[in-house]
Amino acid sequence: MPGLVLLVLYGVVALAPLALAWSFNLPPRAPLDEVSSAIALVATSMLLMEFVLSGRFRLISRRTGIDATMRFHQLVARPVTVLLLLHPFLYTTPLRQAGLPWDVTGQTSLGLTATGIVTGLIAWALLAALVLSAIFRDSLTWRYEAWRLSHGIGAALIAGFGVFHALEAGRYSSHPPLAALWLALLALALLTLVIVYVVRPLLKLQHPYRVTAVEQRGLKIWEVDIEPAQGDALAFEPGQFVWLTIDRPPFSFREHPFSIASAPSENKRLAFLIKEVGDFTSQIGRVPVGARAYVDGPHGALTLSKKPSAGIVFLAGGVGIAPIFSMLRQLRADGDKRPMTLLYGNRVTDQILHGDELNDMSRDLNLTVVHVISEPPDDWEGPVGVMDEALIRAHCDRPDKTDWLYVVCGPPPMIDATEDALVAIGIPERRVVSEKFAY
Ligand SMILES: Cc1cc2nc3c(=O)[nH]c(=O)nc-3n(C[C@H](O)[C@H](O)[C@H](O)COP(=O)(O)OP(=O)(O)OC[C@H]3O[C@@H](n4cnc5c(N)ncnc54)[C@H](O)[C@@H]3O)c2cc1C
């Protein structure tokens, strides 16, 4: 329901400029002109709401999950961009620099000033560049941080120039009520950047953490533990993640999302299991104990709360086990008696994390642990391969398991394949919660 409420709210804000423009009751122009203005009004409103859908606001991602939030952000960006790029070409009414003095409502001419044209052109070109650079981000040679900085600055410029263009050139947008709405939406959009890049870092500065341990736990996988310099660690639910900054000021762009692997019951310790993949994570083993750290969170909806179930199946791919460790550790601390199964897939056995602790957990909890390895050693006796439909069917295809909860975490291809397999064996989608380690 909360997700639905957010969707309705989104629709109301998206359509509000169009409804206001309609209420002005201006004399109609050629149909294509009206279509073009309507497109610009709705698409600009949706564009400004993209700032709130950046995945950094718990009000939204706590309800919908980070995956759905980012997917929505990315999916909306495409049609909005196409519509905004198309809209100047749809007008059929002649363009005149200052309009006609007797045509006060702009019915027979587009009275565009030079400022209106230039601001529109800048926003138009920047929008095309920004969305293309996001779609082809993986093909760019930029570092992620450089892309992220350009994305933020570009988005702020597009919003500013776009709203300026609407106020200067828009037949409807120059009317005070709609102008006020645009300025309010622009202020909200820019406020989101101020919150993420100024307000939160200032708050983090008041609540620093200290790295207490850095240890290799598996092949190219490290565990980093942090504790608050004073006071309590942040309150979180097992399965949630934070944006972590290590050995840099809290204003740094080098903050990365990592799931918390420790349980809330472990008092002050926040543990992270970090796999080496790129420029930041490949240096994680060199972080000195005692280094400062800052966290922004908790974020994410990969949690067990408000999801009652008779049993739980955890499906982890590689380091996707991190949030599941948090859940299992908390379930163990709570003395949970429900039946549980963990299907844990890795390429090689050296990637299995905390194998001994998992063995202990399978004794203390009603937990069955199944390791699946795609490149096993000669003496491996467990399942071989990847977490495919056959393996999932072998462990989950039982009538009493249909209503269990299925928690899936790992790289995107593993999650997509696992979700498809679960649906194929008859598990209802509403019983599956998942989180991808990339977006
Ligand atoms: C919700 C979530 C939870 C995660 N939990 C874990 C975890 O517990 N353990 C773990 O090892 N990995 C986790 N990851 C993945 C981890 O964030 C990336 O592997 C890490 O940020 C890569 O940084 P890099 O500089 O080493 O690599 P890069 O080469 O810079 O980046 C590799 C890829 O990681 C992603 N990425 C990099 N920086 C960021 C950033 N600041 N914000 C968002 N995405 C970024 C991008 O998709 C990028 O293409 C998680 C990711 C998400 C989205």
Side-chain angles (χ1 to χ4, degrees), residues 426-437:
I427 307 299
E429 272 182 48
R430 65 185 159 76
R431 300 307 298 161
V432 181
V433 283
S434 65
E435 186 167 82
K436 291 178 181 160
F437 272 5

Side-chain angles (χ1 to χ4, degrees), residues 203-204 206-210 226-236 242 260 262-270 293-298:
L203 293 175
K204 285 193 272 186
Q206 312 296 315
H207 200 42
Y209 285 71
R210 200 176 62 83
I226 62 172
E227 283 186 11
Q230 56 196 22
D232 291 331
L234 86 170
F236 68 97
V242 297
I260 305 171
S262 48
S265 56
E266 291 179 55
N267 287 329
K268 292 174 184 281
R269 182 179 88 117
L270 295 183
Y294 299 94
V295 297
D296 170 2

Side-chain angles (χ1 to χ4, degrees), residues 232-282:
D232 291 331
L234 86 170
F236 68 97
E237 283 186 50
Q240 289 195 290
F241 72 93
V242 297
W243 260 273
L244 181 66
T245 310
I246 293 191
D247 219 8
R248 296 196 176 246
F251 298 94
S252 167
F253 262 73
R254 299 205 89 185
E255 48 166 6
H256 296 260
F258 292 108
S259 304
I260 305 171
S262 48
S265 56
E266 291 179 55
N267 287 329
K268 292 174 184 281
R269 182 179 88 117
L270 295 183
F272 302 94
L273 291 165
I274 298 180
K275 182 176 178 182
E276 293 180 23
V277 292
D279 51 329
F280 171 74
T281 48
S282 59

Side-chain angles (χ1 to χ4, degrees), residues 30-346:
L32 262 183
D33 289 44
E34 296 301 341
V35 169
S36 182
S37 291
I39 283 175
L41 291 168
V42 178
T44 305
S45 178
M46 290 168 78
L47 184 83
L48 291 171
M49 280 192 287
E50 286 286 89
F51 287 80
V52 186
L53 297 167
S54 64
R56 297 302 296 255
F57 294 96
R58 262 176 280 169
L59 178 73
I60 296 166
S61 55
R62 180 72 188 85
R63 284 166 176 78
T64 58
I66 186 81
D67 286 354
T69 310
M70 295 315 293
R71 198 81 198 108
F72 193 79
H73 176 93
Q74 291 161 351
L75 283 179
V76 162
R78 289 164 168 80
V80 160
T81 303
V82 171
L83 291 173
L84 283 173
L85 295 186
L86 261 183
H87 111 95
F89 300 106
L90 296 179
Y91 287 102
T92 53
T93 303
L95 176 70
R96 291 202 173 75
Q97 268 269 316
L100 298 168
W102 60 87
D103 182 21
V104 283
T105 65
Q107 187 184 16
T108 56
S109 68
L110 299 179
L112 271 183
T113 62
T115 323
I117 294 174
V118 171
T119 49
L121 269 177
I122 295 175
W124 193 94
L126 279 176
L127 179 63
L130 182 107
V131 173
L132 282 175
S133 78
I135 292 174
F136 297 106
R137 191 186 78 204
D138 288 342
S139 320
L140 299 175
T141 49
W142 307 355
R143 276 183 28 199
Y144 185 88
E145 288 76 16
W147 172 81
R148 191 175 155 206
L149 182 66
S150 74
H151 199 71
I153 293 175
L157 290 174
I158 292 164
F161 281 113
V163 167
F164 201 97
H165 168 77
L167 299 180
E168 186 74 11
R171 183 187 188 222
Y172 299 98
S173 297
S174 51
H175 281 242
L178 191 45
L181 179 62
W182 285 135
L183 291 175
L185 287 177
L186 176 64
L188 178 70
L190 299 180
L191 183 67
T192 62
L193 297 180
V194 173
I195 289 174
V196 173
Y197 296 112
V198 182
V199 177
R200 284 194 193 154
L202 281 173
L203 293 175
K204 285 193 272 186
L205 207 53
Q206 312 296 315
H207 200 42
Y209 285 71
R210 200 176 62 83
V211 174
T212 53
V214 180
E215 283 177 45
Q216 187 155 14
R217 292 286 181 208
L219 184 66
K220 296 198 170 192
I221 303 172
W222 297 81
E223 177 168 325
V224 175
D225 290 1
I226 62 172
E227 283 186 11
Q230 56 196 22
D232 291 331
L234 86 170
F236 68 97
E237 283 186 50
Q240 289 195 290
F241 72 93
V242 297
W243 260 273
L244 181 66
T245 310
I246 293 191
D247 219 8
R248 296 196 176 246
F251 298 94
S252 167
F253 262 73
R254 299 205 89 185
E255 48 166 6
H256 296 260
F258 292 108
S259 304
I260 305 171
S262 48
S265 56
E266 291 179 55
N267 287 329
K268 292 174 184 281
R269 182 179 88 117
L270 295 183
F272 302 94
L273 291 165
I274 298 180
K275 182 176 178 182
E276 293 180 23
V277 292
D279 51 329
F280 171 74
T281 48
S282 59
Q283 301 297 318
I284 199 73
R286 297 192 190 166
V287 169
V289 168
R292 284 262 152 144
Y294 299 94
V295 297
D296 170 2
H299 294 273
L302 184 80
T303 62
L304 302 178
S305 66
K306 299 189 189 145
K307 298 169 189 112
S309 65
I312 310 171
V313 178
F314 298 99
L315 303 106
V319 78
I321 191 76
I324 292 174
F325 260 120
S326 179
M327 294 176 182
L328 288 171
R329 285 168 170 164
Q330 188 61 46
L331 290 165
R332 188 189 196 189
D334 294 344
D336 200 290
K337 296 279 179 272
R338 283 176 290 176
M340 298 169 212
T341 304
L342 167 65
L343 302 183
Y344 182 17
N346 280 293

